[in-house]
Amino acid sequence: MAVPMPSKRRSLVVQTSMDAYTPPDTSSGSEDEGSVQGDSQGTPTSSQGSINMEHWISQAIHGSTTSTTSSSSTQSGGSGAAHRLADVMAQTHIENHSAPPDVTTYTSEHSIQVERPQGSTTSRTAPKYGNAELMETGDGVPVSSRVSAKIQQLVNTLKRPKRPPLREFFVDDFEELLEVQQPDPNQPKPEGAQMLATRGEQLGVVTNWPPSLEAALQRWGTISPKAPCLTTMDTNGKPLYILTYGKLWTRSMKVAYNILHKLGTKQEPMVRPGDRVALVFPNNDPAAFMVAFYGCLLAEVVPVPIEVPLTRKDAGSQQIGFLLGSCGVTVALTSDACHKGLPKSPTGEIPQFKGWPKLLWFVTESKHLSKPPRDWFPHIKDANNDTAYIEYKTCKDGSVLGVTVTRIALLTHCQALTQACGYTEAETIVNVLDFKKDVGLWHGILTSVMNMMHVISIPYALMKVNPLSWIQKVCQYKAKVACVKSRDMHWALVAHRDQRDVNLSSLRMLIVADGANPWSISSCDAFLNVFQSKGLRQEVICPCASSPEALTVAIRRPTDDSNQPPGRGVLSMHGLTYGVIRVDSEEKLSVLTVQDVGLVMPGAIMCSVKPDGVPQLCRTDEIGELCVCAVATGTSYYGLSGMTKNTFEVFPMTSSGAPISEYPFIRTGLLGFVGPGGLVFVVGKMDGLMVVSGRRHNADDIVATALAVEPMKFVYRGRIAVFSVTVLHDERIVIVAEQRPDSTEEDSFQWMSRVLQAIDSIHQVGVYCLALVPANTLPKTPLGGIHLSETKQLFLEGSLHPCNVLMCPHTCVTNLPKPRQKQPEIGPASVMVGNLVSGKRIAQASGRDLGQIEDNDQARKVRTEFLFLSEVLQWRAQTTPDHLLYTLLNCRGTIANSLTCVQLHKRAEKIAVMLMERGHLQDGDHVALVYPPGIDLIAAFYGCLYAGCVPITVRPPHPQNIATTLPTVKMIVEVSRSACLMTTQLICKLLRSREAAAAVDVRTWPLILDTDDLPKKRPAQIYKPSNPDTLAYLDFSVSTTGMLAGVKMSHAATSAFCRSIKLQCELYPSREVAICLDPYCGLGFVLWCLCSVYSGHQSILIPPSELETNPALWLLAVSQYKVRDTFCSYSVMELCTKGLGSQTESLKARGLDLSRVRTCVVVAEERPRIALTQSFSKLFKDLGLHPRAVSTSFGCRVNLAICLQPHRLWTLAEQGTSGPDPTTVYVDMRALRHDRVRLVERGSPHSLPLMESGKILPGVRIIIANPETKGPLGDSHLGEIWVHSAHNASGYFTIYGDESLQSDHFNSRLSFGDTQTIWARTGYLGFLRRTELTDANGERHDALYVVGALDEAMELRGMRYHPIDIETSVIRAHKSVTECAVFTWTNLLVVVVELDGSEQEALDLVPLVTNVVLEEHYLIVGVVVVVDIGVIPINSRGEKQRMHLRDGFLADQLDPIYVAYNM
């Protein structure tokens, strides 16, 4: 088994000890609500246990060929089986099935290898940076062996062929078609003749049968009042109370009188005949229930028995409330003890339970009731078509329906059971079942009274303490009949230790209520094996099949002939998945042995119809849904006429389309067939049916297989739930099991691997998800079974809190679209015609032409006379010396510092002197400026220009995090070849501190100058560059892919850049602009340091770090200074949205007003984050922010700003556009993966909103080109954005001097069309789209949409995915996911999620993340990593550093809470 084991943080691995013996829980089973039948499958641990499930499963995995029969009494007991299973699959030969078991590694001898992944999972310490155990992977990447070994195992698992090979199919121009499962040409098809309906025997009329059940009660209550009717037991097994027929009669009368006359007033009684009332009685008080039930029958009101609500949030309790509401129930009858136990409010009233109607609680104990007058007598009629009672039924989806049973059906059912079971007066019957519904109610409360029998009722609580109690009562009372479930037989076997005084010879009938579960046969056989020596006869075991709608469907008759063995069939599991009966031999692994559930009921007709579509009769060798036509059945779902019609009014048809009967049949919900001799066989329930890739699997079968893998050792009390969830248009199987408290991580993982294998080899179906939860944590039904629909609900909403999860999407998701094959591109000759490509306008656009824009005189002077920024500053210092250029705010919003033109000039001069005299620098030397955001940085920059040096701005190290931030500083200083480093006194000390020495080699710093101490003199002359194309400054930035790239900005480009921004933003000296950006690279640096000097406007500088202490600082400054234009980053916007969300009212009160803001631009190098900008706009709309004021800019390494600012608002207003912003479009995400753009309507499936990235700057030309062929593309086609402008950077500055990269990125030409222009490649994918809007000069506006960086995009299955799209889906998947990042490694998609919640929730995320990525992106997630908040690295621009994260993951430095390797 090459399965990588998940890694788990230590705190999640809780080791608990447990007593050696866990008292058995009668809990697993299905309480007839589609929850799976559990405990019946375990194994007897007796000395001569039968060949049991363990043996059978060990066959399944060992592939042994010893012939065995299910009931042969071989001497290999449970212990032997357990040993055999201990070494399951060590070196075993597997018969070559049609498909290889996908989870195992094949060796040449076909033996299964059990591999242990390296490293223990319980005790692990995360290695520190740098000393992780490294090893080379195939592509030469050094990685930690631990992670890589796991991934390698995973990759190996994926290399093997999947089970159904993907069929070839075409992908049309846009759609990715999901694979459609084709029917297997070799699949078995039914070949038999059409079946005939089977009739039960005639319902004989016995002369002394009463005309109604109440008449029977009256008869026995008056003739033999002393005869015992019901004996109840306490939890010690001692008789607690004996209810006689006399007492039952008198008390029921009393209850009937009180219901009719003592509720409400005489004129307005609360309850009238025909009304429904709820019966709420605990499982240990059958006597009170029986009295209340018969009281209702006598009063002619309709009892609705339900479970006791223990808390306000019981599993399924809400649905029961809906049933009561729809039945119009206003009164609930209950016992004194139960009433006292109900939850109470402080005033002592019973609260209204969630979803329940308002109820009057009425206690039925005699002492609380008035005596009926002597002359009052209940009206006892013959049975008629009025409703007698309503039995509730829980559906597969958790909804609760009420099945109505009429009085005539009730009576006829009792008669049919009496005839079929041969009941006689005064027989004793032991009942272990729930007496409120189903078989327990029909035999133990109703039929018993008709025949004056004595019922010994065993409460669930007693069974939990002593599983043998029912056998002891059979012996003690010499009972003739016992009603049990197969799990009661199973737990009796487990607890049975040579009980000497057991004698079961009195039993003539042991009714197995869940005989319809095909796996009950193993319990029956094992039970017979052990107790045959204690007087139990084989013919006594009578399995029956029942359903809430059809009541008893079939029951095996007790015979006196012990020579006639019961019927059983060995069926091929493979055939069953296609609904076909194929008899097989027991040597095979994948067979299902089923026992008959006897004959059709007396007076009934049965047939089987196809489970879906028209109710057509099945063939004789076909599995169908059993349907029954009889008087003794339910008649409707209360209040639901549509559902009633589909279930209770079915007219089966022959193949010619003729109905077989004029009377309607009822669907039983059971799947099966009528075998030879009219014997009925049931192979499963409609509720448990899962259709996976066109094949039908039954939940019960899969539970049985899972339980047979070391059941007693691992699964807690056999509690397993199996259900299917729909993911990507097919059902996927999910198994949830409770694990024993003492099981280790290793045990659980081994068990999971074995279960997957067993299910694969036996059922030939893949399991999508296997989850283990701690013992006793799954939601329970009232009798302790697993509440299936609630479990499924918890799984889907991510609140199951498993302690182990294994997902296997690779093996079971076989309907993914075919990987895309790249098509050869069309040659240039066929596509270029004038300005058209393939019949579309070429995607090119440009900002306004710089030459045609008229400047005012002063601006023209700046443009024509001064080629260099240093000259502009000198000119401003002379002409407007006291004009304020910069104002720096501190965290309190007060002015920390400011600079006028002359102050900046003088400060720059002193710095220039310092560089020349103390630094002895030559012109052209590089100087690193390591300053916090502020005025010093600006002065140092101009000081460098005055001295002829080339400045590089560097973010200072973070004093609290020197170890990780200082190496970056050192790297930039070294890569930029800085001859000198200028900084403040404080940072100067920090660079030489002991902490710094631990992180870097402090001896190799260049000369460090501290500018807090400046010389007093002026320079002899200010440097003037000889040529505008010389270097002005270097711009270094770490890209999101982790690359450090420095670009060269010449003096000419710098001046052109400033001019372009000045024109676009209409900046002049009387303007004020607020800037909340980091001043270290890109547009942020240009706006912070350069634009004010060029345009003369005042910049209000707000360091983003100050917002951490005062989130409102930026917006308050914008309001206070009445600013029209402001710039910020996404991280600033996010901080405001999260930090001020609840404070808008108080900010309004403080006078915050944003109505003057004309433009608020987010400076970014990525696709606009539309959700963030929209929520920001919405949040601050109340404070006056215009919804269209917010826009984004776009820049990159080759050109620091390509787009900036939205359309002028007046243009929009003039055109009268209303509604959504016209610059947002919706594109089809699936087409985008194929590098195509298809526009769709808002809200259509797979739609992705994209926002225009701002208006193209003056002097900038854009074209969209194919990144591979370099050919131009048409309008609305996705391609790489290429840019041509005067302010393009002039190249990369690197030591390595990679010339090819240089020329490719900065000096590219189109392969056809305009082949002369030199373009710079941005490395971003996007498209241009001509909009309906017009520019100020009357031209149609071209909008640029940025989709994402080529470097970031992931190639998976031949398609291009942008991480942000997958991340957005994942963040939506669960409320606890705060952030997400994805990356690929060796073709695996790795998803890292930050968890905001308890570590218990970590494993809930694994299935949800896998589901959402499959559904929305058609991708299988390879690894899910759950980490703490803040682990995903984010840079100052708010961009995720996915490559750093990837390196951290591979070096095992993330300290994850949980890592799941999806197989």
Side-chain angles (χ1 to χ4, degrees), residues 344-359:
K344 307 270 193 309
S345 65
T347 55
E349 288 169 24
I350 293 169
Q352 199 169 332
F353 296 101
K354 195 175 172 191
W356 283 42
K358 196 158 175 47
L359 294 178

Side-chain angles (χ1 to χ4, degrees), residues 930 956-957 962 966 969-970 981-997 1000-1003 1005 1008:
V930 186
I962 287 188
L966 190 62
V969 176
K970 188 86 161 64
L981 188 153
M982 282 207 289
T983 184
T984 63
Q985 198 169 0
L986 205 65
I987 295 173
C988 191
K989 285 183 180 151
L990 192 64
L991 294 179
R992 295 201 172 104
S993 66
R994 188 180 298 152
E995 291 88 346
V1000 298
D1001 183 359
V1002 292
R1003 293 167 304 185
W1005 285 119
I1008 299 180

Side-chain angles (χ1 to χ4, degrees), residues 836-864:
L836 298 177
V837 180
S838 317
K840 283 205 165 187
R841 197 180 66 81
I842 282 189
Q844 56 184 0
S846 50
R848 292 177 294 166
D849 187 350
L850 281 171
Q852 295 169 359
I853 303 169
E854 279 308 307
D855 293 329
N856 58 20
D857 295 344
Q858 197 182 14
R860 194 176 300 112
K861 185 178 171 82
V862 171
R863 176 165 62 92
T864 51

Side-chain angles (χ1 to χ4, degrees), residues 860-903:
R860 194 176 300 112
K861 185 178 171 82
V862 171
R863 176 165 62 92
T864 51
E865 290 187 19
F866 309 124
L867 293 170
F868 307 106
L869 268 179
S870 51
E871 296 179 309
V872 180
L873 178 56
Q874 292 167 53
W875 170 71
R876 287 203 187 281
Q878 284 161 8
T879 52
T880 54
D882 298 326
H883 174 66
L884 198 58
L885 283 180
Y886 293 104
T887 306
L888 178 73
L889 301 184
N890 62 18
C891 64
R892 291 187 299 286
T894 53
I895 296 176
N897 214 331
S898 63
L899 277 181
T900 60
C901 299
V902 72
Q903 285 170 327

Side-chain angles (χ1 to χ4, degrees), residues 64 205 325 362 427 773 799 949 1205 1245 1304 1438:
S64 69
V205 180
F362 183 68
E427 270 191 313
V773 297
S799 28
C949 297
Q1205 291 230 298
D1304 187 43

Side-chain angles (χ1 to χ4, degrees), residues 1242-1317:
R1242 175 182 182 175
S1244 60
H1246 298 279
S1247 64
L1248 172 74
L1250 291 177
M1251 190 163 96
E1252 178 189 7
S1253 281
K1255 197 176 166 192
I1256 299 167
L1257 279 166
V1260 173
R1261 279 175 62 199
I1262 288 176
I1263 194 158
I1264 305 292
N1266 182 315
E1268 277 92 35
T1269 64
K1270 301 191 179 180
L1273 292 170
D1275 193 68
S1276 293
H1277 274 60
L1278 189 69
E1280 187 180 6
I1281 303 165
W1282 287 16
V1283 59
H1284 171 85
S1285 110
H1287 65 258
N1288 277 6
S1290 46
Y1292 287 123
F1293 179 86
T1294 49
I1295 301 180
Y1296 319 112
D1298 185 342
E1299 293 310 317
S1300 60
L1301 200 66
Q1302 182 90 354
S1303 60
D1304 187 43
H1305 284 197
F1306 289 91
N1307 309 308
S1308 278
R1309 295 172 195 263
L1310 289 171
S1311 57
F1312 57 93
D1314 167 13
T1315 53
Q1316 296 311 305
T1317 313

Side-chain angles (χ1 to χ4, degrees), residues 3-197:
V3 178
M5 198 162 154
S7 327
K8 191 181 285 191
R9 187 177 285 173
R10 186 87 198 251
S11 56
L12 277 174
V13 185
V14 186
Q15 305 277 331
T16 51
S17 68
M18 180 184 155
D19 301 333
Y21 171 63
T22 315
D25 184 348
T26 42
S27 65
S28 139
S30 56
E31 295 310 332
D32 292 297
E33 47 150 44
S35 104
V36 293
Q37 167 55 40
D39 303 341
S40 56
Q41 291 73 13
T43 51
T45 42
S46 58
S47 52
Q48 83 246 56
S50 75
I51 273 292
N52 45 37
M53 288 293 295
E54 280 200 12
H55 180 88
W56 177 82
I57 201 93
S58 66
Q59 260 188 286
I61 302 177
H62 281 266
S64 69
T65 47
T66 46
S67 146
T68 58
T69 59
S70 245
S71 59
S72 63
S73 46
T74 332
Q75 288 303 311
S76 72
S79 56
H83 282 303
R84 275 204 308 284
L85 252 111
D87 55 29
V88 152
M89 308 171 312
Q91 270 77 35
T92 58
H93 176 77
I94 280 202
E95 293 169 309
N96 212 352
H97 294 300
S98 56
D102 50 320
V103 227
T104 57
T105 316
Y106 263 7
T107 57
S108 52
E109 300 86 47
H110 287 330
S111 68
I112 298 173
Q113 300 299 319
V114 179
E115 275 181 36
R116 274 289 134 244
Q118 290 91 347
S120 142
T121 48
T122 45
S123 58
R124 52 172 289 252
T125 51
K128 303 287 175 286
Y129 273 62
N131 64 354
E133 188 187 337
L134 292 181
M135 85 180 197
E136 296 271 335
T137 56
D139 45 5
V141 187
V143 291
S144 138
S145 60
R146 214 175 121 252
V147 175
S148 63
K150 290 192 171 178
I151 301 240
Q152 204 47 55
Q153 282 178 303
L154 197 45
V155 174
N156 292 344
T157 325
L158 302 185
K159 278 182 190 156
R160 283 194 304 288
K162 305 290 173 292
R163 196 174 315 97
L166 279 171
R167 217 183 69 267
E168 291 299 311
F169 72 103
F170 76 100
V171 174
D172 78 10
D173 198 29
F174 281 119
E175 293 301 344
E176 298 170 51
L177 296 181
L178 285 172
E179 170 80 60
V180 180
Q181 213 68 39
Q182 293 302 307
D184 176 359
N186 306 322
Q187 77 180 48
K189 296 191 172 56
E191 294 152 8
Q194 185 171 307
M195 76 164 295
L196 301 169

